[in-house]
Amino acid sequence: MDIASASDKTLANAIRALSMDAVQQANSGHPGAPMGMADIAQVLWSRHLKHNPADPAWFDRDRFVLSNGHGSMLIYALLHLSGYDLPMDELRNFRQMHSRTPGHPEVGITAGVETTTGPLGQGLGNAVGFALAEALLAREFNREGYDVVDHLTWVFAGDGCLMEGISHEACSLAGTWKLSKLVVMYDDNGISIDGKVENWFGDDTPARFESYGWNVIRAVDGHDAASIHNAIEQARRNAKEGTGPTLICCRTVIGKGAPNAAGSEKVHGAPLGADEIAATRAALDWNHGPFEIPQEVYQGWDCREKGGAQQAEWQQRFDAYSQAYPELAAELARRLKGELPADYSAKVQAFIDETAQKAETIASRKASQLAISALVNVLPEMLGGSADLTGSNFTDWKGAEAVRAHADGVHFGRHINYGVREFGMAAIMNGVALHGGYLPFGGTFLTFSDYSRNAIRMAALMKQRVVHVFTHDSIGLGEDGPTHQSIEHANSLRLIPNLHVWRPCDTTETAVAWACSVERPTSIGMDVQDGGPSALLLSRQNLPFVERDAQTIQNIRRGGYVLRDAQDARAIIMATGSEIGLALQAQEQLAAQGIATRVVSMPCTNLFDAQDKQWRDQVLTPGIPRVAVEAGTTGLWFKYVGLEGAVVGIDTYGESAPAGVLFKHFGLTAEKVAAAVQEIL
């Protein structure tokens, strides 16, 4: 690279200066990591990273993930200096309301930020998803002489990321899959919030990653540009040769440049203070005021010309590819726009109609498999799997080809065996969704959603279209006992904003749940749409089919609707999933006693809550007493039944026994529901 009268050190010091100035002005933040990693960042971004600041969303750009997201001023400084649309005023407004420089990087807020990071380790998990998506798309779409998918994923990670268990889950998979275009630069500074990590983090990190099947470059001087450059060049060779992912261990000093604070936990998460900043400026020979960058430094950093040339070269290649393989090019373009196929609506509606015609009494997990089997033929972008429960979650389908690694890297497939790694699976799926090109879904038991929860939350925060298939949704799994029986999980997940939680009652509701989940707007990379993830809560036991007319089937999409009405209904019984059958039986029992009731199905309370007041009042008519029934905790349902209503549910942990025995034991019977209605009248 030509550096216009600016040395590597000077360019790196610009990062240090901006980081300490922004944190000082905000009076909060983390200057230590940006200052310690400045030299690594300078070499990567100015010499190696393939990106175009003028078009941050260019598809074949390299992906950069700052997994240690608390060091957010590092990426903000990089974006500003290299030519992205992030003016200095935004750096001055670091951590302030509605700025484009929030405390931790957020996708959709700042151009050039690929994923929201902060919860340590998840950025690394997302990066495995980025690399997996790139590798699979390359296998699916590249043709000899036309490598239109060919980019690397770079990760900055610190000690905290590698302490988190998710790093083990995700990095083990990355090694197994031979994701050679994944490069992690480990900021080995030996410091975390509480002090020297040697007292609680004694891992042999290089040996650990070697055991995963990674290439490891040890003991790189993280403050020597030549050493960093040589390590990155080796990582690039590893990527080209397909020898697996690479970990570059960079020994650094946290807060590098601060003469009194560097190397200590004191510089991790607090402003340096005016005196230390003055001393740092002197130590770095940085003779410029706060937020002042000399023109020659800007010139040395500017990546727009180089990035524009790289993108133009790729565009020429893609144009030639489009001429040679027009159908493949059109399919890739569709997916990268997040558009559904032209024939999607008709085919999906035909499948929903088919479920109504067949009227099958089967478990909703089996109904989900039927929906998946139909959708994968309509949506080639669907990429599914399970955390070692494929035969229970039913997330596979006839003819599904598994993702497997060979000597030359991962081979194309659409079904993923994640192993027993629920959290890793969820974070990887987030990365796949963020990358674009695939619609990820993955399965486990509902109880184990707890393992995935923070990644589910991050998908909701980032508005990513990810589908979680959670089977064995209640005490209905019986003999496995309370460790596996979901009691609080449905309502707990419903509390996550922007997550659509579906608990369908039969094949038709399950089909609609899947349709609504895949139809949520797609957020590709930095183009964040108002969509989000979905969670399907599915039964192990068979559920009776419920007949509906065409309009009632359409009403399922509203999240809550009248399933069975009665003239002059005196009470409303609402339910979800397996308890719909109990509600309908109770309705019949009460009718025999001259008590007319309405049965409301609430497969997705989140969607129902989003409906207009007219619809909500039409379904849950004000003034009519209400009873809710669900095989789980009762608290949330009082928002629908009111304090005068009743809820039939379970507020204790389950037991180990056959499902039928358990439902009677916990009072989940039609008789109990009917009695609850009579009590509130």
Side-chain angles (χ1 to χ4, degrees), residues 13 17 32 80 114 148 170 236 285 309 333 338 377 397 399 420 474 483 502 510 526 544 555 580 590-591 608 655 670:
N13 286 340
H80 171 77
E114 300 283 0
V148 294
R236 293 173 68 90
D285 196 25
N377 293 321
W397 60 96
V420 189
S474 71
T483 62
W502 288 88
T510 304
M526 291 164 259
N555 292 343
I580 284 290
L590 290 163
F608 178 76
E655 298 281 351

Side-chain angles (χ1 to χ4, degrees), residues 398-475:
K398 187 177 181 180
E401 187 176 356
V403 172
R404 293 285 186 269
H406 297 261
D408 58 343
V410 69
H411 281 207
F412 179 74
R414 297 175 66 188
H415 186 267
I416 301 175
N417 301 103
Y418 285 98
V420 189
R421 299 183 180 95
E422 295 87 0
F423 193 7
M425 174 178 70
I428 290 168
M429 289 197 298
N430 288 351
V432 170
L434 284 158
H435 181 278
Y438 294 108
L439 196 170
F441 65 95
T444 187
F445 288 176
L446 178 56
T447 309
F448 305 142
S449 64
D450 287 339
Y451 285 127
S452 311
R453 187 178 181 89
N454 201 256
I456 297 170
R457 180 180 187 270
M458 293 299 290
L461 178 63
M462 296 188 288
K463 301 180 179 180
Q464 294 302 305
R465 185 179 60 163
V466 176
V467 183
H468 290 271
V469 178
F470 294 128
T471 67
H472 298 60
D473 69 337
S474 71
I475 60 172

Side-chain angles (χ1 to χ4, degrees), residues 544 580-590 669-671:
I580 284 290
L582 300 181
L584 291 171
Q585 291 173 29
Q587 183 187 45
E588 292 179 1
Q589 292 179 14
L590 290 163
T669 64
E671 290 74 18

Side-chain angles (χ1 to χ4, degrees), residues 12-36 38 71-74 77 91 94 255-259 261 267 270-293:
N13 286 340
I15 297 173
R16 295 185 170 100
L18 288 173
S19 298
M20 67 182 183
D21 289 342
V23 172
Q24 184 70 20
Q25 178 143 318
N27 198 31
S28 73
H30 301 76
M35 296 176 73
S72 57
M73 265 311 302
L74 176 65
L91 273 62
F94 178 54
K256 175 73 173 178
V267 76
L272 296 182
D275 292 345
E276 185 69 2
I277 286 178
T280 303
R281 279 189 156 80
L284 297 175
D285 196 25
W286 186 264
N287 302 311
H288 314 286
F291 301 102
E292 182 182 328
I293 303 294

Side-chain angles (χ1 to χ4, degrees), residues 257-462:
N260 302 301
S264 164
E265 67 272 15
K266 295 177 182 179
V267 76
H268 172 87
L272 296 182
D275 292 345
E276 185 69 2
I277 286 178
T280 303
R281 279 189 156 80
L284 297 175
D285 196 25
W286 186 264
N287 302 311
H288 314 286
F291 301 102
E292 182 182 328
I293 303 294
Q295 190 59 36
E296 64 268 21
V297 173
Y298 276 126
Q299 290 172 356
W301 264 111
D302 196 338
C303 296
R304 287 172 291 186
E305 183 177 352
K306 179 182 177 183
Q310 290 175 319
Q311 182 172 351
E313 187 278 328
W314 175 84
Q315 189 62 54
Q316 288 181 347
R317 196 175 346 128
F318 188 81
D319 290 344
Y321 174 77
S322 299
Q323 291 291 321
Y325 302 98
E327 291 183 1
L328 282 174
E331 173 65 11
L332 179 58
R334 177 189 70 79
R335 292 204 214 167
L336 297 180
K337 293 175 185 175
E339 297 174 350
L340 296 171
D343 60 352
Y344 166 83
S345 294
K347 288 186 175 180
V348 167
Q349 188 57 53
F351 172 71
I352 293 170
D353 294 342
E354 183 182 321
T355 66
Q357 293 165 6
K358 288 186 175 180
E360 293 176 290
T361 293
I362 55 177
S364 54
R365 63 171 177 162
K366 182 62 180 177
S368 171
Q369 187 179 43
L370 296 176
I372 292 169
S373 299
L375 285 166
V376 293
N377 293 321
V378 185
L379 299 171
E381 58 264 47
M382 289 187 69
L383 180 67
S386 169
D388 204 48
L389 288 168
T390 301
S392 294
N393 300 148
F394 294 164
T395 50
D396 58 348
W397 60 96
K398 187 177 181 180
E401 187 176 356
V403 172
R404 293 285 186 269
H406 297 261
D408 58 343
V410 69
H411 281 207
F412 179 74
R414 297 175 66 188
H415 186 267
I416 301 175
N417 301 103
Y418 285 98
V420 189
R421 299 183 180 95
E422 295 87 0
F423 193 7
M425 174 178 70
I428 290 168
M429 289 197 298
N430 288 351
V432 170
L434 284 158
H435 181 278
Y438 294 108
L439 196 170
F441 65 95
T444 187
F445 288 176
L446 178 56
T447 309
F448 305 142
S449 64
D450 287 339
Y451 285 127
S452 311
R453 187 178 181 89
N454 201 256
I456 297 170
R457 180 180 187 270
M458 293 299 290
L461 178 63
M462 296 188 288

Side-chain angles (χ1 to χ4, degrees), residues 214-278:
W214 286 55
N215 302 288
V216 177
I217 303 173
R218 299 171 179 247
V220 174
D221 183 346
H223 302 300
D224 180 72
S227 298
I228 300 164
H229 171 74
N230 290 336
I232 292 175
E233 284 286 284
Q234 180 59 56
R236 293 173 68 90
R237 287 192 292 273
N238 295 340
K240 190 173 183 179
E241 295 166 5
T243 59
T246 299
L247 177 74
I248 302 175
C249 301
C250 301
R251 188 63 184 166
T252 64
V253 177
I254 191 171
K256 175 73 173 178
N260 302 301
S264 164
E265 67 272 15
K266 295 177 182 179
V267 76
H268 172 87
L272 296 182
D275 292 345
E276 185 69 2
I277 286 178

